[in-house]
């Protein structure tokens, strides 16, 4: 299974027929430019290409009133003056004789994508559509949006495919109030939106876009709003021009949010709720005016950040993720910066445990895989190591990784594996041990935490500690070592491997103790190949002891690692 791309050139037909500075940015070129960029990078050819179909009026009626659908249908016969008069009745909207056709194609594209993913024809996909949809309401166009593409897709998934839990993630810079209104009393849909808010002074200027709007009635708690605000800095600076960051030394919310802020929002706010909700499908209202370079959004997140956000979402719902374009952004090319220079690490000391032929054979396979990953011939791999030589093999793998091209290496060791005693804290290696006797930061690059005994405790450890450290460290290579008595269930190990693909650009080498089940090796190989991790099973809350130990450990590490520096009104670590 691969990725679907749904598009139809007819969606470029509608355009503004009169002067309107507010609406002129919603033009056909916003769609064609996005498609051209996909073609230039060879991405279109790698996708299953589907031509969008028109949604039926019955499908539009899943969300919109018959009267509103009839009104939009009637725009096909109106002249320019009549279209302009009708458009003036709505906020930031224009109609064109082709609007009804284009908007039905946009909805149909979203429905086709959902059908393809839920039928198993593809794993995930993108609907490249126009007009956008997340501001549209039951009986009103709004903010360039005519029909609510994502909301209709969610209702379609429920009615046609029998889904009971759908997550909608809206990362557009504007609040998708249309989606919120439609589902605010519905506990079967969890809606998450971050958006520029500025205490209600940023469009759409709504009180219900604030963080305390959390749904109503049966849907109470199923709306999650994360508003970005602009407030004066400590010396009167305008935070809109400061680099976006998640930091305790910047306790005021601000615009100009950067990569760290977006990833932190996912790790500390969205994903903990989403794992507990356990969605069967993830829909993304994918607006890219929240990326760097958009003059209205004024955010600092790079395009690469959204790839990481997408990968984080793919650990949910069995990987069934459908992204539907909202408003494309305008951003410059963002070349990568060169990494730090390489220093040759000390030579590896000899290991008696590697003297056996079986251990040497296994080590040879590990080093072969490691070289191929660092050379770019493969992206990831899994190798089995003898229990008696697990620690020695890991030691050699770390040193070879650092000497053969990895500038920063993250080692996640689970089970009875001690950090090599002469591994230096030079900033090039980060050692995380899950399964230690107690939570401890022996240095900023040597961290140990016990293996939590509950699903909630395990997720808290991964989302509030492991991933923030990994994204802050930005490794070139990740070694996941499952040593003797590692104690992880197959789904837990798979989730770790899947999530750690993001920080290292997919370069993950998993070392598995031979006493583990053969099925574990198969599961790890699948997730490293891009398949979804299996479900963790029923959710159970973290124990108070695990939570306290984790918070104390975060407090020790916060001064060094920015992704742990999350400010909140309560002031508690991890509560933001």
């Amino acid at each position: 299974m691969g990725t679907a791309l749904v598009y139809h050139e007819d969606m470029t037909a509608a355009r503004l027929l009169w002067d309107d500075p507010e609406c002129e940015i919603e033009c056909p070129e916003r769609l064609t430019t996005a498609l051209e960029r996909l073609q230039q990078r060879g991405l279109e050819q790698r996708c299953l290409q589907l031509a969008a179909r028109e949604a039926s009026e019955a499908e539009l009626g899943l969300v919109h009133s018959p009267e509103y659908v009839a009104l939009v249908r009637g725009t096909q016969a109106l002249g320019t003056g009549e279209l302009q008069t009708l458009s003036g009745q709505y906020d930031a909207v224009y109609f064109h004789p082709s609007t009804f056709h284009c908007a039905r194609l946009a909805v149909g594209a979203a429905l086709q994508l959902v059908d393809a993913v839920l039928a198993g024809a593809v794993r995930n996909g993108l609907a490249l559509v126009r007009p956008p949809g997340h501001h549209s309401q039951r009986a009103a166009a709004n903010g360039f949006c005519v029909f609510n593409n994502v909301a209709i897709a969610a209702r379609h998934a429920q009615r046609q495919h029998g889904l009971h839990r759908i997550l909608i993630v809206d990362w557009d810079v504007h609040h998708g109030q249309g989606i919120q209104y439609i589902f605010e009393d519905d506990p079967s849909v969890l809606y998450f939106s971050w958006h520029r808010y500025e205490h209600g002074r940023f469009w759409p200027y709504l009180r219900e876009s604030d963080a305390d709007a959390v749904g109503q009635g049966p849907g109470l708690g199923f709306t999650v709003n994360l508003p970005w605000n602009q407030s004066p800095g400590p010396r009167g600076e305008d935070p809109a021009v400061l680099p976006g960051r998640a930091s305790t030394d910047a306790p005021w919310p601000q615009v100009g949010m950067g990569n760290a802020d977006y990833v932190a929002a996912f790790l500390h706010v969205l994903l903990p709720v989403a794992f507990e909700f356990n969605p069967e499908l993830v829909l993304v209202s994918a607006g890219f005016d929240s990326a760097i370079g958009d003059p209205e959004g004024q955010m600092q997140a790079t395009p690469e950040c959204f790839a990481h956000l997408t990968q984080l979402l793919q650990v949910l719902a069995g990987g069934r993720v459908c992204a539907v374009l909202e408003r494309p952004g305008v951003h410059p090319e963002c070349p990568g910066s060169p990494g730090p220079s390489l220093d040759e690490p000390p030579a590896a000391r000899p290991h008696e445990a590697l003297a056996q032929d079986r251990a040497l054979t296994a080590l040879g396979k590990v080093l072969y895989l490691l070289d191929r990953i660092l050379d770019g011939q493969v992206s990831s791999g899994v190798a089995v190591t003898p229990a008696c030589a697990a620690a020695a093999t890991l030691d050699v793998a770390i040193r070879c990784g650092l000497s053969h091209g990895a500038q920063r290496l993250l080692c996640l060791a689970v089970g009875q594996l001690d950090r090599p005693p002469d591994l230096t804290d030079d900033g090039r290696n980060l050692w995380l041990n899950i399964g230690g006797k107690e939570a401890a930061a022996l240095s900023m690059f040597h961290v140990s935490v016990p293996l939590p005994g509950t699903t909630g405790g395990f997720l808290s450890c991964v989302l509030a500690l492991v991933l923030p450290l990994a994204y802050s460290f930005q490794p070139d290579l990740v070694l996941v070592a499952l040593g003797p008595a590692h104690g992880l269930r197959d789904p837990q190990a798979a989730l770790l491997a899947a999530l750690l693909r993001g920080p290292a650009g997919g370069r993950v080498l998993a070392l598995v103790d031979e006493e583990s089940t053969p099925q574990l090796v198969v599961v790890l190989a699948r997730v490293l190949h891009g398949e979804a991790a299996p479900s963790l099973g029923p959710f159970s809350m973290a124990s108070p002891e695990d939570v306290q130990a984790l918070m104390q450990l975060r407090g020790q590490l916060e001064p060094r690692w920015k992704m742990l520096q999350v400010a909140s009104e309560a002031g508690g670590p991890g509560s933001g």
Side-chain angles (χ1 to χ4, degrees):
M1 293 191 297
T3 297
L5 178 64
V6 192
Y7 173 76
H8 199 295
E9 63 181 6
D10 282 4
M11 283 186 279
T12 63
R15 61 176 61 244
L16 186 63
L17 299 176
W18 54 87
D19 291 333
D20 186 341
E22 184 178 31
C23 289
E24 64 184 9
I25 60 173
E26 209 301 291
C27 59
E29 290 73 22
R30 299 178 74 98
L31 195 60
T32 56
T33 299
L35 181 63
E36 289 168 2
R37 193 65 62 89
L38 292 173
Q39 292 169 339
Q40 290 167 4
R41 283 160 172 72
L43 296 174
E44 181 192 36
Q45 299 89 317
R46 294 169 56 186
C47 296
L48 174 64
Q49 299 173 44
L50 301 175
R53 66 169 176 86
E54 281 191 332
S56 68
E57 293 197 15
E59 290 168 332
L60 301 179
L62 291 172
V63 163
H64 298 285
S65 69
E67 297 78 12
Y68 176 65
V69 173
L71 182 146
V72 181
R73 184 197 321 120
T75 60
Q76 298 173 102
L78 298 182
T80 300
E82 295 169 307
L83 290 168
Q84 185 172 4
T85 299
L86 178 62
S87 301
Q89 299 176 21
Y90 300 98
D91 185 5
V93 169
Y94 71 85
F95 290 104
H96 180 277
S98 296
T99 291
F100 187 58
H101 176 53
C102 292
R104 288 177 66 188
L105 283 173
V107 174
L111 301 187
Q112 275 184 291
L113 178 56
V114 166
D115 288 341
V117 168
L118 294 179
V122 292
R123 184 181 297 125
N124 50 52
L126 168 67
L128 204 57
V129 304
R130 176 177 175 267
H134 68 148
H135 299 305
S136 176
Q137 296 150 45
R138 174 172 168 77
N142 186 267
F144 311 144
C145 300
V146 179
F147 298 129
N148 202 310
N149 308 316
V150 167
I152 296 172
R155 286 288 184 232
H156 174 80
Q158 292 175 327
R159 303 288 173 84
Q160 297 301 315
H161 297 277
L163 299 194
H164 302 287
R165 297 179 309 280
I166 297 172
L167 168 64
I168 298 176
V169 177
D170 189 340
W171 65 42
D172 192 280
V173 83
H174 300 90
H175 181 223
Q177 81 277 28
I179 297 178
Q180 178 170 312
Y181 293 155
I182 291 165
F183 296 113
E184 62 186 349
D185 60 355
D186 185 348
S188 69
V189 176
L190 175 63
Y191 176 62
F192 171 86
S193 172
W194 67 33
H195 41 269
R196 189 171 172 182
Y197 182 59
E198 299 189 34
H199 306 289
R201 295 190 294 273
F202 191 77
W203 195 91
Y205 315 116
L206 297 173
R207 175 67 183 81
E208 53 267 36
S209 302
D210 208 351
D212 57 357
V214 293
Q216 60 186 23
L220 189 68
F222 291 87
T223 295
V224 182
N225 283 317
L226 185 56
W228 308 125
N229 296 301
Q230 180 177 357
S231 302
R235 292 177 300 279
E237 304 98 324
D238 178 1
V241 301
L242 297 177
R245 64 195 189 282
S247 174
T248 52
D249 65 1
W252 63 92
Q254 61 184 57
V255 298
M257 315 309 289
N259 294 349
D261 301 288
Y262 282 10
V263 175
F266 266 45
L267 298 183
H268 298 294
V269 181
L270 171 60
L271 288 178
V273 177
F275 272 109
E276 185 168 355
F277 181 66
N278 193 22
E280 299 164 290
L281 175 69
V282 178
L283 298 174
V284 182
S285 284
F288 293 100
D289 48 4
S290 52
I292 190 170
D294 188 272
E296 187 172 6
Q298 295 186 36
M299 297 298 172
Q300 298 297 318
T302 64
E304 292 81 1
C305 179
F306 293 88
H308 286 276
L309 301 180
T310 303
Q311 192 164 44
L312 288 172
L313 292 177
Q314 288 177 321
V315 301
L316 301 167
R320 293 181 290 274
V321 178
C322 299
V324 180
L325 187 67
E326 295 292 350
R327 176 179 160 181
V330 181
H331 61 77
E333 291 293 335
C334 302
S337 59
S341 60
L342 278 173
D343 295 319
E344 191 69 20
R349 48 193 175 79
H351 289 281
E352 292 182 5
L354 296 175
Q356 303 174 20
D357 289 344
R358 189 165 61 95
L360 280 176
T361 300
L363 177 62
K365 294 178 180 179
V366 169
L367 298 182
Y368 173 76
L369 267 177
L370 186 61
D371 284 341
R372 297 195 71 191
I373 291 171
L374 293 174
D375 290 344
Q377 297 180 55
V378 297
S379 61
S380 57
V382 183
V384 177
T385 61
C388 62
T393 302
L394 179 58
D395 184 8
V396 175
I398 291 173
R399 296 173 189 282
C400 288
L402 291 170
S403 62
H404 291 176
Q407 298 177 7
R408 292 176 303 280
L409 187 151
L410 166 62
C411 180
L412 179 67
V414 187
Q416 297 174 4
L417 291 170
D418 294 328
R419 184 175 185 260
D422 51 358
L423 195 62
T424 59
D425 280 348
D426 58 2
R428 294 186 56 209
N429 65 88
L430 172 60
W431 175 277
L432 302 179
N433 175 236
I434 297 180
K437 294 180 180 179
E438 59 182 2
L442 302 180
S443 77
M444 291 299 162
F445 296 91
H446 182 185
V447 180
S448 177
V449 62
L451 175 63
T454 65
T455 304
F458 176 74
L459 286 172
S460 295
C461 178
V462 173
L463 299 177
L465 181 69
V466 174
L467 286 182
L469 289 175
Y471 274 104
S472 296
F473 185 59
Q474 297 183 356
D476 303 300
L477 175 69
V478 172
L479 297 180
V480 178
L482 305 181
H486 60 76
L488 289 182
R489 295 184 292 110
D490 291 1
Q492 292 176 318
L495 181 64
L496 270 176
L499 287 170
L500 287 170
R501 294 177 66 224
R507 292 178 293 276
V508 177
L509 176 57
L511 306 180
V512 183
D513 172 57
E514 65 180 357
E515 296 178 358
S516 299
T517 64
Q519 181 60 26
L520 175 58
V521 177
V522 173
V523 171
L524 288 173
R526 286 176 174 170
V527 297
L528 291 177
H529 188 61
E531 295 187 21
S535 171
L536 292 177
F539 184 86
S540 54
M541 295 295 293
S543 70
E545 295 78 14
D546 286 342
V547 172
Q548 182 179 9
L550 183 61
M551 292 301 100
Q552 289 177 348
L553 187 56
R554 282 173 52 93
Q556 295 177 49
L557 296 167
E558 276 183 5
R560 172 61 178 81
W561 301 107
K562 290 185 178 180
M563 287 294 295
L564 294 175
Q565 298 168 3
V566 181
S568 69
E569 291 182 4
S575 58

